[in-house]
Amino acid sequence: MPPTNPARRRALTDAAIDLLASSGAHGLTHRAVEKHADLPPGTASNYFRSRQALLVAAAERIIELHHADTDRAIDQAIDQPTTLTDLWTDSLLTAATTLRTRYLAIFELQLEAARRPALASVLAGLQDTSLQITAAHHDKLGLTIAREKIPALIALYGGALFTLVTAPPDSVTRDVVRHVAQTMVHGCATPEPAPPTPRER
């Protein structure tokens, strides 16, 4: 049975996240994780028997952190009402700057999942959980967004996140991110002008 020291497990998965962001999936090994976490050789393999188990644990840790941050943001929005545009602006900006490492890591995992069905299955399960949690957040905020539209919203958010996280860091400003968020919430189409009346032709 694997060890059950939560602090040590978190140290290993957090080290794995850092390595995924800095070295890519190919740089993620048990020994590299142990070295980065300053833990003795053999520690990572005691917790995660295979490299795939290590990849899965890193993905689960990222999702755990993401949902914890989102929960805090939603609670704050309830106490201090804000618009969906403002909420997404803050979320995307923080993800692309302060938490850039975390989201670079999840994109590495998503690419790796294209070649690893077991990892893809885990990520798909986490996506299903995200749908349920997002719906619950909408309910708490009193948003009247149809349930069937939530997958599309998550896809839009993920696409925007990828673009911002992989952009040159100095190009990611609040104004840029807010414009993206506004377009996601309100759409990019502008009303078509009314056809001219017969007298105007």
Side-chain angles (χ1 to χ4, degrees):
M1 185 175 179
T4 56
N5 182 326
R8 182 159 285 194
R9 182 184 175 88
R10 282 194 299 270
L12 290 166
T13 52
D14 289 346
I17 291 168
D18 287 345
L19 287 168
L20 283 164
S22 63
S23 304
H26 67 278
L28 187 69
T29 65
H30 286 82
R31 186 65 198 110
V33 167
E34 292 159 353
K35 186 175 180 181
H36 192 79
D38 196 24
L39 292 170
T43 305
S45 59
N46 284 339
Y47 281 81
F48 311 108
R49 295 299 184 186
S50 66
R51 185 169 176 275
Q52 181 161 282
L54 185 55
L55 290 167
V56 168
E60 291 172 339
R61 175 65 171 155
I62 291 170
I63 300 302
E64 174 194 349
L65 292 168
H66 175 77
H67 288 320
D69 289 343
T70 304
D71 286 344
R72 283 192 291 272
I74 296 299
D75 289 341
Q76 184 176 357
I78 291 171
D79 293 337
Q80 302 172 5
T82 186
T83 66
L84 185 57
T85 295
D86 288 337
L87 193 65
W88 278 12
T89 298
D90 290 341
S91 176
L92 286 167
L93 184 62
T94 300
T97 54
T98 308
L99 304 176
R100 186 169 181 265
T101 293
R102 180 192 300 175
Y103 294 99
L104 281 173
I106 197 65
F107 294 138
E108 284 286 341
L109 287 167
Q110 289 172 334
L111 290 172
E112 187 73 6
R115 298 177 288 274
R116 292 177 176 268
L119 180 59
S121 177
V122 170
L123 291 179
L126 293 174
Q127 178 78 354
D128 290 342
T129 301
S130 292
L131 291 173
Q132 297 168 13
I133 291 174
T134 300
H137 287 157
H138 288 179
D139 290 343
K140 288 180 74 173
L141 291 172
L143 299 176
T144 56
I145 297 171
R147 289 290 191 270
E148 63 270 17
K149 292 186 177 182
I150 292 176
L153 286 175
I154 291 177
L156 287 171
Y157 184 94
L161 185 59
F162 180 85
T163 299
L164 294 167
V165 166
T166 57
D170 59 359
S171 71
V172 181
T173 65
R174 175 168 285 277
D175 286 343
V176 167
V177 177
R178 182 170 180 79
H179 179 69
V180 171
Q182 284 177 326
T183 303
M184 289 163 60
V185 172
H186 301 293
C188 59
T190 55
E192 294 184 6
T197 63
R199 190 171 292 184
E200 293 173 328
R201 290 176 181 165

